[in-house]
Amino acid sequence: MTAVATDGKVIAADGRATKGDEIINDNVVKIFRVPKGIVGGSGDFHMILEYVAWLKKGAKKPFRQCNEGESFHIIYLREDGVWYVSSSNNCKEHEVSVPFALGSGSEYAIGAMLAGRSPRQAVQIAAQRSITVGGTIRELAL
């Protein structure tokens, strides 16, 4: 899993990819600069990449319907707010308040940000508590 955290200005994410109990990679890029903002995601990685590609192509029509069995969560940080897209919400955007985080380390990250930590520090704290969070931590600012 992962931890992706935002305070509305910056998104930070860990770089760990796991399969079951095995760490596959600690250097996965999970945040992407796109037109009008930054996207960070967790879950089915191919779906995150598909969403990023859709945004880069101009997002002129609604993102496709989610298929049964797909599982992903996306934070889309834009100048007009923080938006959340989830396969459990039929791939529709809805605005969320900050601080906001997603992934297996989200509760640790949100708690850390509520206590005054930056998104990067929040992901670092999540990595101390969740074995599925770790590796290289990256951040992008609007």
Side-chain angles (χ1 to χ4, degrees):
M1 292 302 284
T2 198
V4 181
T6 186
D7 60 2
K9 300 175 190 133
V10 172
I11 289 182
D14 73 310
R16 180 160 290 169
T18 58
K19 185 174 184 178
D21 292 335
E22 183 179 355
I23 297 170
I24 304 298
N25 189 338
D26 264 345
N27 200 28
V28 176
V29 176
K30 301 177 183 177
I31 54 177
F32 306 90
R33 194 164 298 281
V34 296
K36 300 181 184 175
I38 303 165
V39 168
S42 73
D44 293 343
F45 199 64
H46 72 281
M47 289 300 304
I48 298 160
L49 295 177
E50 185 178 328
Y51 189 80
V52 167
W54 172 74
L55 289 171
K56 287 183 175 183
K57 288 179 184 174
K60 294 191 181 359
K61 57 184 178 179
F63 189 64
R64 70 168 179 79
Q65 294 289 316
C66 291
N67 297 318
E68 190 172 325
E70 292 175 334
S71 177
F72 70 95
H73 307 275
I74 290 173
I75 296 173
Y76 186 8
L77 174 59
R78 303 187 311 222
E79 298 222 0
D80 67 342
V82 178
W83 300 83
Y84 174 65
V85 179
S86 171
S87 56
S88 61
N89 190 30
N90 202 21
C91 298
K92 294 192 166 113
E93 292 182 350
H94 65 273
E95 193 167 12
V96 294
S97 59
V98 293
F100 187 76
L102 50 82
S104 57
S106 63
E107 292 177 0
Y108 300 118
I110 289 171
M113 289 187 291
L114 287 171
R117 302 300 177 123
S118 70
R120 175 183 283 278
Q121 292 168 325
V123 172
Q124 289 170 332
I125 289 168
Q128 292 173 9
R129 304 302 304 163
S130 174
I131 62 169
T132 60
V133 178
T136 304
I137 297 173
R138 292 178 174 81
E139 68 179 359
L140 292 173
L142 273 180

